[in-house]
Every structure is written in C-alpha cells, then in structure tokens.
C-alpha cells in the first residue's frame, strides 16, 4: 500500500511537540510492515535541511486567491528516516525558521496544502491513502473532493488523525477564495459556526477519523473547543488508536544523549548517574526525589498551576523533594518559574527553552515525571518516562488515563489524580515522596514492570493499516 502522510511536523526535521514524534515514527514502522509510506511537509529553514542531501522532484505553480505562487518539492536522497521524505518550498511563506506562530499562518498552511494536492494531482498513478494530520493539513480532504481541478482525486481514501482538537485553524469566510475553484453547493464541508474551520472540515470530509487515544475520542464529544456536536454526529467514522513510541530513539540502553545508559537490570545505577548529572548541573539535592516537568508551558498542560503547586509542595512536604522544569510557552508562567529559581534555590530549577538532549537526560535521571494536563489527547512524555523507569504522576485524562494506572490499584505503576488543581498535585507529590522514601520494594517492582511495557509502534502501525484496508 502507498500511504502519503501530510503534516506540519516530523522529527527530526522539525518538531514542536508530539505530532513531530508521531509523524517521524509511524511511517517508518509502516515501511517495516512492507508498505510504502511517504511524508510531505513544509520546507522550514531548520538544521536538518542544511545538513542533508536533497534532490528536486517537482516544480509547480498555483493560486492562493488572486496571488500566484511558485512551489518546489525536494526529496531527501538517502532514505535517512526510513521512509521517503518530501519538503515543499514556497518562497515568502514557508522559508522561515519556526513552524508556527506567524501572523500569516493561515496563508502559509493553506498554500502548503494547495501545493501538496496539486503535486499529487500531477502523478501518473494514484496513492492508496492520503493521511492528513491535524488542522494544518485539514483542508486536503475537502479539496480532493470538491475543487474542480482536483476532481480526479476524489476516489482516493483520506484519513484524518486528530492529535489535538484545541487548535482548529479557523479563518473567516472572506478567505474562501483562497482555495482553487470549488463546488459552492458544498460550502457546508468547510463551515463550522460561520467560519471556515479546517479541522471540522476534515472531520466532515475525510473517509475516516482517528484520535490518538481511546479516552480522548470519548472526551471530544463533550470537550472539544466547540466541535462537541460534530464529534457526536460523526462518531460512526471515528476510531481511537493509541500512539506508540519510537523504541529505537527512546531506548535507555542505547540512548547517546544520556550520561550513562542502562537496562532494567542496571536501572538503579544508571538512573543515579543521570540524576547526578542533572543535580550537579542544576544545583539540586541528589538525595531527594527529583520530580520533573517537560513540555509546553500552556494552559492545556496546566503549566499555570506549576508555580503554586511547587511552592505548596515544598512547604507542605518540608522541602523533601526537588523539581526541574524544561519548557517554554506563556511568558507569565516562564517569569514566575524563573523567579522561583532564586526564591527556592536548591529545591527547584527551570530551563526555559527547547532542548532535546536535556529532555532525554531528564527522562533518565528523574524519579518522577509530572503531567497535570487539563487536556492530553495522548501524551508521549509519560510513555518515554515508563520506558526509562521514571514513575509518571498524571491527571486522569485522555491518553494519560489509557496508559498509566495508579499504584494503589492492582498492578498499578504510576500516580494518578483527578483534578487539575494545586491541591491534587500537592497531594500526589506527597504520595510520590512516601513511595520514594518508605516503599522501596514496591518502587523497585514498579520500575521493572513499567520498563517492560511495550508501547512500541509495531501494533499501532498495523492498526492504521487495518483502517486503510477497510476503506479500499
Ligand atoms: P504535545 O505534543 O502536546 O506537546 P506530547 O506529550 O505528545 O505533548 O509530546 C511532547 C514532545 O515534545 C515530547 O517528545 C517531549 O519530550 C517534547 N518536548 C516538549 N517540550 C520540550 C522542550 N522544552 N524541550 C525538549 N523537548 C520537549
Ligand atoms: C498532540 C497532543 C499530545 C499527543 C501528540 C501526538 O500534540 O497534545 O497529547 O501525544 O499530539 O499525537
């Protein structure tokens, strides 16, 4: 089967979060299953672009409304990622360093999608599946069905995977002329609440919709930033497939970014060496349990609760734990955390920014990983933590609910709480300290157990293939 993944992110080319990890891994595992999987994404000016070899495979032109644009498509020459990788360049729109966050993101991603569909429409054969990820690729199923110039693509099955329904890419109807001429009777395929909503459009027009965990699929029906009714209407074509992790990249026994690699048998010594590196670097006490947070400092991740939850934990538990935070996002939260580094020096430290190497070291050197997320469609961090023998402390939501059980329950191996609140976090930190200090045997068992859990992509990659097959 030939599968084309269309995405705004793909690790290691460009990654802002879990979407990048998934699109960097899933196609590789589909290739291992004997299929042809290709990824097409924008050509941002990232390091990966300049340090690899490329060949030009196509040049074309299209219109974004009245504006004509030229695009070119290049392919990575050496199959470095284990699948064919294509980048779309559009001068003036995609030739930037960052993935998101520009005022003209609507124009950038709309023209990207038009270029992708235009390119596929020029192929001498048809791919078996076009698999689009999130709203940045969400207009593609509509365009393939209803833009006159792409009509011959209408019989290619499309699949949408929703990684995060909080972001929908809405634009005003005044931008409807951006798309190549389309059947005006079909305007409902673009509309949600009187605006063009690329995510809603993909839910309506894709042949099948998947979400990245089972629980998140349920939650979308009552909490999806305005799309609740849509998910209720369309539930018949939606299915949850839990993400996997790339076991080759995330392997504590081989990870080149660790101070010391380790396996289940050497977990104590290995983690201690990595913890020492972190504690030395960030001025923390190695004798105390180290609780880390890695992620975007935004409301979805409940990062706004961190400053109060951390100070309350330090007070209430008599300073018997240390915190290390890696992330960036809302400036207010960044500022508060930076202030705390001085106030609670020796108890907390924060690295504001993005650092792949530090994140690996933290998964390995931490005792606990905190994820108080308000919304977590899947969450990869907790799965990395499990593989690295780090006990996850998570809120009972979305993919966190599907991957972590509480140690108070039968064969539980993590800490779970219900509310995104300072109190729940503080209480859970207390349970973590107790586990670390007084329940060494259980702690050892939990580590061993969680490191053996198989969250690799092998089975999830096959589940996607089964979805595609059901559409043929
Ligand atoms: P989301 O995609 O919602 O941000 P996920 O849990 O799916 O959440 O994935 C987050 C990914 O991004 C993980 O690979 C995590 O290690 C990584 N990550 C997040 N923030 C940072 C950061 N500041 N530095 C390095 N890696 C980060
Ligand atoms: C999104 C979600 C996250 C998920 C990731 C990969 O960014 O917020 O929960 O793990 O996509 O699917």
């Amino acid at each position: 089967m030939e599968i084309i993944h269309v995405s705004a992110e793909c690790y290691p080319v460009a990654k802002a979060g879990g979407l990048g990890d998934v699109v960097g891994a899933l196609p590789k595992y589909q290739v291992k299953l004997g299929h042809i999987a290709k990824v097409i994404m924008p050509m941002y000016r990232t390091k990966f672009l300049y340090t690899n070899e490329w060949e030009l495979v196509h040049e074309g032109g299209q219109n974004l409304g009245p504006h004509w644009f030229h695009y070119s498509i290049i392919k990575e020459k050496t199959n470095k990622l284990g699948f064919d990788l294509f980048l779309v360049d559009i001068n003036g729109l995609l030739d930037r360093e960052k993935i998101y966050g520009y005022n003209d993101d609507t124009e950038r991603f709309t023209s990207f999608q038009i270029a992708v569909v235009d390119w596929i429409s020029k192929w001498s054969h048809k791919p078996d599946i076009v698999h689009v990820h999130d709203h940045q690729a969400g207009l593609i199923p509509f365009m393939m069905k209803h833009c006159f110039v792409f009509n011959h693509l209408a019989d290619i099955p499309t699949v949408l995977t929703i990684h995060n329904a909080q972001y929908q890419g809405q634009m005003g109807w005044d931008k409807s002329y951006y798309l190549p001429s389309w059947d005006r009777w079909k305007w409902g395929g673009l509309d949600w609440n009187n605006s063009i909503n690329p995510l809603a459009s993909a839910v309506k027009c894709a042949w099948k919709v998947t979400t990245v965990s089972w629980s998140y699929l349920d939650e979308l029906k009552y909490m999806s930033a305005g799309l609740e009714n849509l998910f209720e209407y369309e539930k018949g074509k939606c299915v949850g497939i839990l993400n996997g992790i790339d076991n080759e990249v995330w392997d504590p026994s081989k990870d080149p970014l660790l101070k010391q690699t380790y396996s289940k048998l050497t977990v104590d010594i290995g983690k201690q060496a990595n913890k020492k590196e972190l504690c030395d670097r960030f001025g923390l006490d190695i004798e105390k349990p180290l609780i880390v947070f890695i992620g975007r400092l935004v409301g979805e991740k409940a990062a706004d609760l961190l400053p109060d939850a951390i100070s309350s934990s330090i007070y209430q538990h008599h300073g018997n734990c240390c915190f290390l935070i890696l992330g960036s996002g809302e400036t207010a939260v960044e500022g508060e955390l930076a202030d705390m580094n001085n106030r609670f020096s020796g108890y907390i430290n924060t690295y504001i920014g993005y650092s792949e190497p530090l994140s690996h070291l933290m998964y390995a050197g931490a005792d606990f990983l905190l994820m108080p997320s308000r919304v977590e469609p899947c969450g990869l961090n907790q799965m990395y933590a499990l593989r690295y023998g780090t006990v996850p402390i998570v809120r009972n939501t979305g993919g966190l609910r599907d991957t972590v059980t509480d140690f108070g329950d039968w064969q539980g191996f993590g800490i779970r709480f219900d509310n995104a609140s300072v109190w729940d976090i503080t209480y859970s930190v207390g349970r973590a300290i107790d586990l670390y200090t007084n329940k060494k045997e259980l702690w050892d068992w939990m580590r061993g157990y969680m490191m053996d859990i198989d969250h690799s992509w092998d089975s999830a990659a096959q589940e996607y293939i089964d979805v595609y097959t059901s559409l043929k």
Side-chain angles (χ1 to χ4, degrees):
M1 212 180 264
E2 183 178 15
I3 308 137
I4 315 296
H5 291 274
V6 189
S7 169
E9 297 181 32
C10 173
Y11 177 81
V13 192
K15 160 176 163 183
L19 170 64
D21 286 348
V22 170
V23 178
L26 170 61
K28 185 165 80 181
Y29 285 78
Q30 292 180 328
V31 169
K32 284 187 187 165
L33 290 172
H35 302 280
I36 302 170
K38 303 180 171 175
V39 169
I40 176 132
M41 64 182 297
M43 181 171 143
Y44 314 108
R45 295 329 193 230
T46 62
K47 187 171 162 216
F48 190 92
L49 175 67
Y50 299 114
T51 47
N52 286 281
E53 287 180 43
W54 306 89
E55 62 186 307
L56 181 68
V57 292
H58 183 74
E59 281 190 281
Q62 255 293 351
N63 273 69
L64 181 74
H67 314 289
W68 187 85
F69 65 88
H70 169 264
Y71 69 89
S72 47
I73 298 191
I74 58 172
K75 177 175 179 235
E76 194 273 319
K77 270 185 172 173
T78 63
N79 194 36
K80 191 164 189 178
L81 305 187
F83 51 83
D84 286 342
L85 169 71
F86 298 89
L87 307 183
V88 180
D89 194 24
I90 301 174
N91 271 332
L93 287 173
L94 300 179
D95 48 348
R96 316 213 185 137
E97 225 174 278
K98 282 196 304 172
I99 305 175
Y100 318 110
Y102 298 102
N103 289 335
D104 57 354
D105 278 356
T106 296
E107 286 71 21
R108 296 173 68 231
F109 289 108
T110 308
S111 55
F112 161 65
Q113 295 175 80
I114 295 171
V116 170
V117 184
D118 190 59
W119 176 50
I120 296 174
S121 78
K122 302 284 185 317
W123 292 13
S124 53
H125 72 287
K126 290 180 182 177
D128 293 295
I129 297 286
V130 173
H131 188 153
V132 303
H133 296 266
D134 275 353
H135 78 81
Q136 295 86 1
L139 293 169
I140 289 178
F142 178 89
M143 285 198 273
M144 287 172 58
K145 272 186 169 159
H146 303 306
C147 287
F148 298 116
V149 63
F150 303 138
N151 253 189
H152 61 292
L153 303 179
D155 60 348
I156 303 175
T158 50
V159 174
L160 161 73
T161 293
I162 302 178
H163 297 263
N164 197 333
Q166 295 299 110
Y167 306 94
Q168 299 168 5
Q170 294 97 329
M171 60 182 99
W173 267 103
D174 55 325
K175 299 197 168 157
S176 64
Y177 70 109
Y178 278 179
L179 301 185
S181 174
W182 50 277
D183 182 352
R184 294 280 154 170
W185 287 104
K186 304 292 189 226
W187 69 274
L190 289 173
D191 183 74
W192 192 254
N193 271 345
N194 300 324
S195 54
I196 295 180
N197 185 314
L199 189 71
S201 168
V203 174
K204 292 176 183 185
C205 299
W207 294 31
K208 196 89 186 176
V209 176
T210 72
T211 60
V212 289
S213 69
W214 315 294
S215 289
Y216 187 54
L217 178 57
D218 284 343
E219 287 172 11
L220 286 173
K221 287 179 217 136
Y222 57 88
M223 196 184 59
S224 53
L227 302 188
E228 295 77 9
N229 290 343
L230 179 63
F231 286 110
E232 177 56 33
Y233 304 146
E234 298 282 1
K235 64 182 173 211
K237 71 170 172 192
C238 298
V239 56
I241 301 181
L242 188 69
N243 282 335
I245 60 173
D246 191 335
N247 273 349
E248 289 167 12
V249 177
W250 299 94
D251 179 355
S253 69
K254 297 204 181 86
D255 192 333
L257 299 171
L258 304 194
K259 180 75 182 170
Q260 187 171 321
T261 54
Y262 58 93
S263 67
K264 193 179 143 183
L265 296 176
T266 53
V267 58
D268 265 339
I269 312 172
K271 283 186 75 72
Q272 193 69 3
N274 291 297
K275 184 174 178 183
K276 181 169 185 325
E277 173 71 15
L278 286 174
C279 291
D280 288 351
R281 209 190 284 180
F282 291 98
L284 303 170
D285 183 348
I286 192 168
E287 298 303 324
K288 295 178 183 169
L290 176 61
I291 303 173
V292 302
F293 173 97
I294 300 170
R296 297 178 287 120
L297 299 175
V298 296
E300 259 176 274
K301 304 282 178 195
D304 50 302
L305 298 180
L306 288 177
D308 283 349
I310 290 172
S311 52
S312 140
S313 295
I314 294 172
Y315 293 139
Q316 293 211 18
H317 306 304
H318 313 290
N320 280 324
C321 54
C322 291
F323 292 88
L324 181 59
I325 315 290
L326 165 62
S328 62
E330 287 165 14
T331 16
V333 180
E334 289 183 357
E336 277 185 76
L337 288 170
D339 276 353
M340 289 178 75
N341 293 347
N342 296 326
R343 270 176 66 205
F344 295 98
S345 158
Y347 294 96
I348 169 181
N349 213 329
T350 309
Y351 180 103
I352 300 291
Y354 189 92
S355 168
E356 199 71 31
L358 180 56
S359 74
H360 283 243
L361 194 62
M362 286 170 71
Y363 289 117
D367 298 302
F368 298 92
L369 174 93
L370 175 62
M371 293 182 79
S373 311
R374 291 194 175 90
V375 182
E376 198 59 82
C378 178
L380 299 172
N381 299 17
Q382 80 280 12
M383 296 202 255
Y384 300 146
L386 293 173
R387 186 138 162 84
Y388 282 63
T390 300
V391 178
I393 307 176
V394 304
R395 189 175 157 246
N396 196 2
T397 187
L400 300 175
R401 183 205 301 266
D402 294 347
T403 51
V404 179
T405 49
D406 190 273
F407 79 87
D409 297 330
W410 188 70
Q411 295 217 320
F413 47 82
I415 297 179
R416 250 165 62 162
F417 56 92
D418 286 330
N419 300 307
S421 70
V422 169
W423 196 88
D424 274 37
I425 298 174
T426 309
Y427 180 75
S428 302
V429 168
R431 293 183 71 208
I433 297 172
D434 181 46
L435 187 61
Y436 180 90
T437 323
N438 305 318
K439 301 192 167 79
K440 175 82 174 110
E441 225 172 276
L442 175 59
W443 168 256
D444 285 343
W445 174 85
M446 280 166 64
R447 272 189 169 166
Y449 186 87
M450 68 176 76
M451 287 180 80
D452 271 348
I453 299 175
D454 182 9
H455 275 302
S456 78
W457 269 108
D458 293 312
S459 61
Q462 182 59 47
E463 284 181 61
Y464 278 105
I465 301 292
D466 294 343
V467 166
Y468 306 152
T469 312
S470 73
L471 301 174
K472 296 298 285 180

